[in-house]
Amino acid sequence: MLHRRTLISASAVAAATIALPRVFAQQAKLEKTKVSIAVGGKAAFYYLPLTISEQLGYFKAEGLEVEISDFAGGARALQAVVGGSADVCSGAYEHTINLQAKNQFFQAFVLQGRAPQIAVGVSTKNMAGYTGIQDLKGKKIGVSAPGSSTNMVANLVLSRGGLKASDVSFIGVGVAAGALTALRSGQIDAISNTDPVMTMLEQKGDVKIISDTRTLKGTEQVFGGPMPAACLYAPIDFIQKHPNTCQALANAIVRGLKWLQTAGPGDIIKTVPETYLLGDRALYLASFDKVRESIATDGLVPAEGPKTALNAIASFDTAVKADKIDLARTYTNDFAKRAKDRFKA
């Protein structure tokens, strides 16, 4: 059955490729054909739609030459865009809120994930006697990079347990092999990270999960509503100056999301780089099964999502004043809607 699904997907990709010249010919002229995208931890399932769209040639099909620069975490990827060395960030939606609180206006224009896919776990070796959040006081917590989405979720978990971010030490460990090593070697006492890292640690008995947003139900329990996660976002002035380019980027991502809706395990394995598997194909696929429902289906930010994100951040970050944030300026669904209409079956 798996072999048959793979053949069907391959045929569909081939058919789509044949039609590319015709599709591209109908597009509006791109203001910018070379686009640099910064991402924090490209190997994580959190950014799987980006990888799929790149690997299957969907950006090229839109007339784009995309250069993707990979950083240790979302905060560093964001710095690249703020600093001008990248045009667009593939990162967590909540960064648009944090930026607006600093009077910097960025906007998400296509969603990749409808749940953060982040789990928090304590080391079964360093914290064998763990009983509750208070036990984390004075401990070292590994995150992809300080200030990233993994850090945000850890802060939220700590605050609900009566601790402040200053009560612990955050250590950047990335989202790949380095994160596994840091936890297993005892360099950190707990970890907030994405899959496949968390499933690999969990299944080997290295961590005890204490908070989980890898499913829609888990996200609802942690955040109290839908929580938009990975997206493409950029400075609002970039989007205003390059609407056709942003539309092309959104088209590629939405097309990747559509492919993921019917892709089988074999399709995923064949498409992602070998290094993403972290040496364990079976566990990688087990991780994919766990997070599959959290991948966005159409690129649209859910109506209640931005408010959920704002409430979560404002609950522990005093620099973010909920009544001062204009959520309408943090995202737009215009590009994703057009892309969705274009790729309707």
Side-chain angles (χ1 to χ4, degrees):
M1 185 66 182
L2 174 58
H3 180 61
R4 184 172 178 272
R5 285 185 75 179
T6 303
L7 288 176
I8 291 172
S9 296
S11 299
V13 170
T17 303
I18 292 170
L20 292 184
R22 179 178 59 80
V23 171
F24 177 59
Q26 296 171 351
Q27 287 178 188
K29 182 176 173 60
L30 302 181
E31 304 86 3
K32 184 178 177 70
T33 56
K34 292 185 178 180
V35 179
S36 55
I37 299 177
V39 59
K42 187 164 170 273
F45 282 122
Y46 193 84
Y47 298 116
L48 184 60
L50 176 72
T51 295
I52 294 299
S53 298
E54 176 195 31
Q55 295 291 108
L56 293 181
Y58 294 163
F59 290 118
K60 288 182 180 178
E62 296 294 326
L64 293 168
E65 185 181 327
V66 168
E67 178 187 2
I68 300 176
S69 299
D70 196 11
F71 295 85
R76 292 183 183 177
L78 166 59
Q79 287 168 7
V81 180
V82 171
S85 60
D87 301 309
V88 174
C89 191
S90 179
Y93 162 74
E94 69 264 13
H95 285 308
T96 65
I97 294 174
N98 287 323
L99 284 161
Q100 193 181 122
K102 299 172 184 174
N103 225 26
Q104 294 175 298
F105 294 88
F106 283 61
Q107 193 170 60
F109 59 92
V110 62
L111 191 69
Q112 298 178 67
R114 52 182 182 165
Q117 300 180 25
I118 295 166
V120 180
V122 296
S123 168
T124 52
K125 181 170 73 174
N126 284 16
M127 301 193 69
Y130 176 84
T131 59
I133 299 298
Q134 287 292 330
D135 294 345
L136 288 171
K137 189 168 186 176
K139 301 297 184 181
K140 296 177 181 177
I141 301 178
V143 294
S144 58
S148 296
S149 191
T150 52
N151 201 155
M152 183 274 292
V153 170
N155 284 341
L156 183 63
V157 171
L158 290 172
S159 70
R160 290 181 177 172
L163 295 183
K164 300 187 294 291
S166 57
D167 289 328
V168 304
S169 297
F170 287 111
I171 311 293
V173 297
V175 295
L180 297 173
T181 300
L183 192 287
R184 288 170 175 163
S185 66
Q187 297 173 43
I188 53 177
D189 306 298
I191 185 168
S192 176
N193 219 294
T194 54
D195 268 339
V197 164
M198 293 308 292
T199 290
M200 290 180 169
L201 291 173
E202 186 181 13
Q203 291 204 0
K204 296 293 186 181
D206 296 311
V207 296
K208 174 185 177 183
I209 301 296
I210 60 173
S211 181
D212 200 342
T213 66
R214 289 174 292 182
T215 64
L216 296 179
K217 182 179 179 182
T219 298
E220 180 84 27
Q221 291 172 342
V222 172
F223 289 98
M227 178 69 180
C231 62
L232 290 189
Y233 67 86
I236 289 181
D237 61 350
F238 177 88
I239 296 172
Q240 291 173 340
K241 291 175 184 175
H242 306 88
N244 296 336
T245 299
C246 289
Q247 186 63 60
L249 289 167
N251 290 347
I253 292 294
V254 170
R255 192 173 171 197
L257 295 174
K258 188 176 177 65
W259 183 88
L260 280 164
Q261 293 303 302
T262 56
D267 299 318
I268 302 296
I269 289 292
K270 288 181 180 179
T271 307
V272 302
E274 182 74 23
T275 53
Y276 286 20
L277 310 182
L278 297 178
D280 197 326
R281 184 171 297 202
L283 273 181
Y284 182 87
L285 290 177
S287 302
F288 175 64
D289 284 340
K290 186 164 289 188
V291 303
R292 185 168 196 155
E293 70 170 14
S294 67
I295 297 171
T297 58
D298 55 15
L300 299 173
V301 175
E304 293 302 310
K307 187 176 180 181
T308 300
L310 176 58
N311 290 341
I313 297 169
S315 72
F316 63 82
D317 188 346
T318 56
V320 176
K321 309 295 184 185
D323 60 338
K324 302 293 184 182
I325 299 296
D326 181 1
L327 288 176
R329 299 188 70 184
T330 63
Y331 76 102
T332 174
N333 277 329
D334 293 348
F335 298 100
K337 283 177 181 175
R338 284 191 287 268
K340 181 182 178 182
D341 289 341
R342 177 178 168 184
F343 295 113
K344 277 182 179 176

